[in-house]
Amino acid sequence: MKHQKFSYRHLDELKEDIVRAHVILPVSDHLDILNTSLPLYRKILPNRLAIHPMEGCDGTAGGAPGELTFRRYERFGASGAGLLWVEACAVNNEGRCNSRHLCLSHDTLPAIKKMFDRMMEAAGHTYDKDTRPYTILQLTHGGRYGKPHADATAIVAVAENPYLDPFSNPKRRIITDEELEQLENQYVETACMAREIGFDAVDIKGCHRYLISELLSAYTREGRFGGSFENRTRFLLNIIEKIKDQVDIDITVRINAYDAIPHPYGWGTDENGLPALDEPRRLMQLLWDKGVRLVNISTGNPYYNPHIGRAADVGPYVPPEHPIESASRMLNIIREMKSATPAMAFVGTGFSWFREFGAHIAAGCIEQGWMDLAGFGRQSFAYPDFAKDILLHGAMIRSKCCTTCTKCTELMRFGGQAGCVVKDSKIYLPIWRQATNGRTMMTTRIASHV
């Protein structure tokens, strides 16, 4: 099926197109399962809805939250979602992907603690006194996409990659094994600070081809962190082990299961860039053995092939497939990962393009055992109280939903603070106009193998 914009007025119309697309995609007529609890680690999540770690690029030059960051997390706290997965926080300054990227350090800890407390105070007005959402702070290093300031030069990649090199900082160099070993300890230090702030868990970010994600596909790299499966997973597993040994905090992972980049430059792929999931499935079992009990699965690369990870109506290019096919591929890959470790809790993604029907897809996937929680990313920018409407009213409201116009992404690419230009226009439309200044996103070439 060719790409087309969302045009469904009724759930039955969407079901008909799912059949027409010849894909397997569960749809439930009932949303009750989204309002059920889920035991996780030492807690019980009050429902099956999650807010994804969505970067706002609205921190200070020093890596602390800015005014819009506080506003965003107060809105997320009041959302009603049972899981609040707080955006990527760099473990050092070089790992920041832009000049407004949050960075957890001893200097920024008080401000991030203040942001956390405001988020939880807002949650307290939504939940009863005996209930609180589960909270995760995502820890990251941007790797080849690091750019803490405009003329940054200390940018590191894991290996040369002919597919990604044109879309990343040309000033990069290859990070050494010794630097990676030192970086492991910075993850541990930031995990200690996250625990001090009050987070239930830290997420060791391994998605979207940032540093850890790139290491998983470092087939062409030499040394202790490249080549073999054991070497390529070493950095991630070392961090998990060290945090477990030194910090009393839960550990989660948001990870790519499929890059859609041909082997040997992609993870979870064959020579044609098609899914080959043996290694991702193997990693799921290793994560379980290391004590990880919650994984958030994603796919693709937001710079090279964004439609693989997020179906959209419009964007910097027209995807070569129908959004139903994009979403179905990702959700079926999550199902594959869940089948590898059935006892592991999985967060699914890919629901925003379906508007209010995304809740029905999410409920269907959970009913069928494909995943345990449904995460919403762009939807949370546009519609931060989506969970409250599902839980209290049994439906999402069409007029509040994300239109998948990708303007939040344009804001990030042009150096503005990210948010919903359409549904939160009073705040973000002026920022978008200033950031884009009449420009449009450059058309991205999509390789013929995708």
Side-chain angles (χ1 to χ4, degrees):
M1 293 175 65
K2 294 183 178 179
H3 179 273
Q4 66 183 71
K5 294 182 179 181
F6 184 93
S7 61
Y8 307 105
R9 304 306 302 180
H10 303 286
L11 186 59
D12 286 343
E13 296 174 358
L14 174 60
K15 291 178 180 178
E16 290 171 3
D17 255 10
I18 290 172
V19 173
R20 192 174 295 116
H22 302 290
V23 300
I24 301 173
L25 196 58
V27 183
S28 176
D29 293 326
H30 308 288
L31 306 185
D32 294 349
I33 197 168
L34 301 178
N35 200 11
T36 59
S37 61
L38 177 70
L40 181 67
Y41 294 106
R42 295 161 286 188
K43 308 280 183 166
I44 297 179
L45 279 62
N47 57 63
R48 303 301 185 96
L49 297 168
I51 288 183
H52 276 316
M54 294 293 292
E55 294 170 40
C57 305
D58 47 20
T60 69
E67 181 180 346
L68 288 178
T69 323
F70 282 107
R71 175 183 183 264
R72 204 154 33 86
Y73 281 99
E74 287 172 357
R75 285 156 63 96
F76 291 168
S79 68
L83 172 57
L84 303 178
W85 203 302
V86 174
E87 70 189 80
C89 213
V91 298
N92 62 26
N93 187 62
E94 290 73 24
R96 300 169 70 196
C97 292
N98 57 75
S99 60
R100 295 192 181 98
H101 195 157
L102 297 186
C103 180
L104 181 52
S105 67
H106 293 291
D107 291 336
T108 63
L109 188 152
I112 294 177
K113 170 74 163 111
K114 183 178 180 181
M115 181 191 81
F116 175 85
D117 289 344
R118 286 192 182 179
M119 179 179 73
M120 298 309 292
E121 181 181 0
H125 296 307
T126 298
Y127 295 102
D128 61 55
K129 61 182 179 62
D130 297 322
T131 306
R132 70 187 295 276
Y134 189 84
T135 58
I136 304 172
L137 179 64
Q138 186 174 78
L139 305 182
T140 191
H141 188 291
R144 64 168 55 240
Y145 298 112
K147 192 176 181 181
H149 49 83
D151 57 350
T153 56
I155 307 305
V156 293
V158 167
E160 298 299 327
N161 188 310
Y163 295 94
L164 300 184
D165 287 349
F167 300 95
S168 54
N169 195 319
K171 299 176 182 178
R172 64 190 176 274
R173 62 178 178 81
I174 303 301
I175 192 170
T176 67
D177 285 2
E178 292 73 24
E179 288 173 307
L180 286 170
E181 289 167 352
Q182 294 170 7
L183 190 56
E184 290 173 1
N185 296 324
Q186 291 185 294
Y187 275 86
V188 178
E189 185 178 2
T190 50
C192 288
M193 289 185 276
R195 179 59 181 165
E196 182 179 343
I197 288 168
F199 284 96
D200 295 309
V202 288
D203 162 29
I204 313 305
K205 183 177 183 180
C207 61
H208 302 157
R209 300 313 299 264
Y210 297 105
L211 186 76
I212 293 178
S213 179
E214 187 174 12
L215 277 166
L216 293 176
S217 68
Y219 298 93
T220 62
R221 180 187 172 95
E222 297 181 351
R224 295 183 67 247
F225 295 98
S228 69
F229 176 82
E230 180 184 12
N231 285 353
R232 288 180 284 109
T233 58
R234 187 187 306 277
F235 185 72
L236 171 61
L237 297 180
N238 280 356
I239 291 170
I240 292 171
E241 288 181 353
K242 288 182 176 182
I243 292 175
K244 280 190 66 180
D245 288 344
Q246 301 178 45
V247 191
D248 182 20
I249 194 167
D250 299 338
I251 302 172
T252 66
V253 179
R254 188 172 198 219
I255 195 164
N256 262 30
Y258 169 61
D259 293 340
I261 298 169
H263 181 83
Y265 300 102
W267 162 254
T269 66
D270 65 13
E271 305 80 32
N272 298 310
L274 299 174
L277 303 176
D278 287 349
E279 286 197 340
R281 288 171 61 92
R282 185 178 170 189
L283 180 57
M284 292 304 108
Q285 186 60 57
L286 286 178
L287 293 175
W288 175 264
D289 293 343
K290 296 294 183 184
V292 175
R293 295 295 180 263
L294 178 66
V295 172
N296 188 327
I297 296 294
S298 189
T299 57
N301 178 283
Y303 308 93
Y304 171 66
N305 52 15
H307 71 284
I308 297 295
R310 53 185 180 189
D313 271 0
V314 294
Y317 65 92
V318 177
E321 61 187 7
H322 196 287
I324 286 177
E325 296 173 308
S326 302
S328 174
R329 180 194 304 109
M330 180 159 56
L331 291 167
N332 274 274
I333 286 173
I334 297 169
R335 175 179 61 85
E336 286 288 320
M337 296 302 102
K338 176 71 175 176
S339 70
T341 47
M344 182 91 79
F346 281 81
V347 180
T349 187
F351 306 109
S352 290
W353 181 81
F354 295 102
R355 276 56 165 190
E356 72 269 30
F357 304 134
H360 294 271
I361 302 289
C365 288
I366 295 173
E367 287 175 357
Q368 294 296 318
W370 289 26
M371 60 195 64
D372 304 273
L373 295 116
F376 290 79
R378 293 167 293 171
Q379 193 68 266
S380 64
F381 273 169
Y383 187 179
D385 55 345
F386 74 92
K388 194 179 299 183
D389 282 346
I390 291 172
L391 300 173
L392 297 181
H393 308 300
M396 295 173 66
I397 299 172
R398 165 74 65 100
S399 62
K400 292 183 176 182
C401 284
C402 170
T403 62
T404 64
C405 67
T406 73
K407 284 185 169 56
C408 53
T409 299
E410 288 187 43
L411 277 170
M412 295 177 68
R413 300 291 182 267
F414 286 131
Q417 298 99 313
C420 185
V421 176
V422 177
K423 304 298 182 179
D424 202 4
S425 59
K426 183 176 181 180
I427 298 293
Y428 290 101
L429 182 56
I431 295 173
W432 183 77
R433 285 172 173 162
Q434 181 178 9
T436 58
N437 193 26
R439 296 173 290 176
T440 58
M441 293 292 289
M442 181 180 296
T443 299
T444 301
R445 179 179 298 171
I446 299 300
S448 59
H449 66 270
V450 175

